[in-house]
């Protein structure tokens, strides 16, 4: 399904670039939106004895943000979007995923077809997602147990920034020459880096999950002003 969505988006972008005709469309759009991110978390490293399965369920995060769009012509536009998701994902139990507040930034292209009252577009926007509570290994130490020495990881909590890609579609409604409402939907792909957490076993220095890519459904709704 992801390949089909990607092909559709690229087709819309290519068609918009080829068939673009300059019309009296405002060049600049500035808007705000509410957004929903259905987060598909990475694979669990190792279950803690205190965790029950429901503690590590995928989460739905609600956020808000802003958008800047520069219309190159009637069909193709460059965009920059930033979203902030307050709240937490229960960091203590997310043994293989960063958690906490989330900041998302995407930069890319939107292309498609405008009609008199609405428009349909595809979008492709690379960017980054920053998690404000992530386990970070800062070094190693040695502990003595049963007359033996074992290396252990030293951890702190900090930020983690991962590459993301926003692929999807956009539907716009033109209420006046200056006001537009907009619905975005698509796949926000997050490439998580290698993740390490403290181990529960003396003989294992730390727990580790390799880098992993996850697909996450995201929906946004907002209002924009055109100049």
């Amino acid at each position: 399904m992801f390949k089909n969505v990607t092909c559709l988006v690229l087709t819309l972008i290519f068609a918009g670039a080829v068939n673009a005709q300059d019309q009296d469309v405002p060049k600049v759009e500035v808007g705000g939106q509410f957004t929903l991110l259905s987060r598909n978390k990475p694979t669990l490293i190792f279950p803690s004895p205190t965790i029950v399965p429901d503690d590590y369920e995928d989460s739905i995060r609600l956020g808000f943000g802003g958008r800047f769009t520069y219309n190159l012509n009637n069909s193709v536009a460059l965009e920059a979007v930033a979203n902030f998701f307050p709240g937490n994902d229960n960091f203590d139990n997310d043994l293989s995923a960063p958690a906490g507040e989330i900041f998302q930034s995407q930069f890319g292209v939107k292309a498609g077809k405008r009609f008199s009252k609405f428009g349909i577009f595809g979008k492709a926007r690379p960017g980054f997602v920053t998690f404000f509570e992530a386990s970070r290994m800062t070094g190693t130490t040695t502990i003595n147990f049963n007359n033996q020495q074992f290396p252990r990881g030293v951890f702190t909590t900090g930020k983690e920034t991962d590459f993301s890609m926003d692929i999807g579609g956009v539907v716009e409604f033109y209420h006046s020459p200056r006001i537009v409402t907009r619905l975005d939907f698509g796949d926000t792909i997050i490439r998580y880096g290698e993740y390490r957490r403290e181990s529960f076993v003396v003989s294992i220095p730390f727990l580790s999950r390799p880098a992993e890519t996850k697909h996450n459904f995201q929906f946004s709704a907002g209002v924009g002003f055109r100049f």
Side-chain angles (χ1 to χ4, degrees), residues 9 13 72 76-79 107-111 122-126 166:
V9 170
I13 291 175
L72 298 176
V76 181
L78 301 178
E79 294 194 314
F107 314 90
V109 63
K110 176 193 75 174
K123 61 177 179 176
R125 305 186 302 201
D166 175 22

Side-chain angles (χ1 to χ4, degrees), residues 136-140 153-156:
R136 300 174 61 186
M137 183 173 170
T138 59
T140 59
V154 178
F155 293 86
T156 186

Side-chain angles (χ1 to χ4, degrees), residues 1-171:
M1 179 178 179
F2 171 68
K3 291 183 178 180
N4 294 334
V5 172
T6 303
C7 290
L8 176 61
V9 170
L10 294 178
T11 300
L12 287 171
I13 291 175
F14 177 76
V18 171
N19 299 320
Q21 298 180 354
D22 291 323
Q23 296 183 14
D24 189 20
V25 57
K27 290 295 184 182
V28 176
E29 296 180 18
V30 178
Q33 71 268 338
F34 291 98
T35 184
L36 177 151
L37 177 67
S38 180
R39 188 178 173 205
N40 183 20
K41 295 180 183 179
T43 304
L44 187 63
I45 294 178
F46 186 84
S48 163
T50 62
I51 289 181
V52 295
D54 288 343
D55 288 335
Y56 194 75
E57 62 185 3
D58 296 336
S59 64
I60 294 179
R61 302 294 298 272
L62 299 177
F64 57 91
R67 170 180 59 87
F68 176 85
T69 300
Y70 183 80
N71 293 307
L72 298 176
N73 49 53
N74 194 46
S75 299
V76 181
L78 301 178
E79 294 194 314
V81 177
N83 293 313
F84 177 71
F85 299 86
N88 203 329
D89 267 336
N90 197 6
F91 174 71
D92 291 337
N93 285 340
D94 282 354
L95 294 184
S96 63
E101 298 175 334
I102 301 174
F103 180 78
Q104 174 191 23
S105 56
Q106 309 289 155
F107 314 90
V109 63
K110 176 193 75 174
K113 179 67 174 178
R114 293 180 191 269
F115 301 92
S116 60
K117 294 296 184 182
F118 69 95
I120 300 176
F121 303 88
K123 61 177 179 176
R125 305 186 302 201
F128 301 93
V129 174
T130 297
F131 300 91
F132 283 76
E133 291 189 24
S135 175
R136 300 174 61 186
M137 183 173 170
T138 59
T140 59
T141 188
T142 301
I143 64 170
N144 293 315
F145 181 78
N146 197 23
N147 295 323
Q148 297 184 61
Q149 290 189 333
F150 296 93
R152 302 288 293 175
V154 178
F155 293 86
T156 186
T157 300
K159 296 180 181 179
E160 175 178 319
T161 299
D162 298 311
F163 175 78
S164 60
M165 185 70 184
D166 175 22
I167 299 288
V170 177
V171 179

Side-chain angles (χ1 to χ4, degrees), residues 63 126 170 188 204 219:
V170 177
T188 299
I204 301 176
F219 172 80

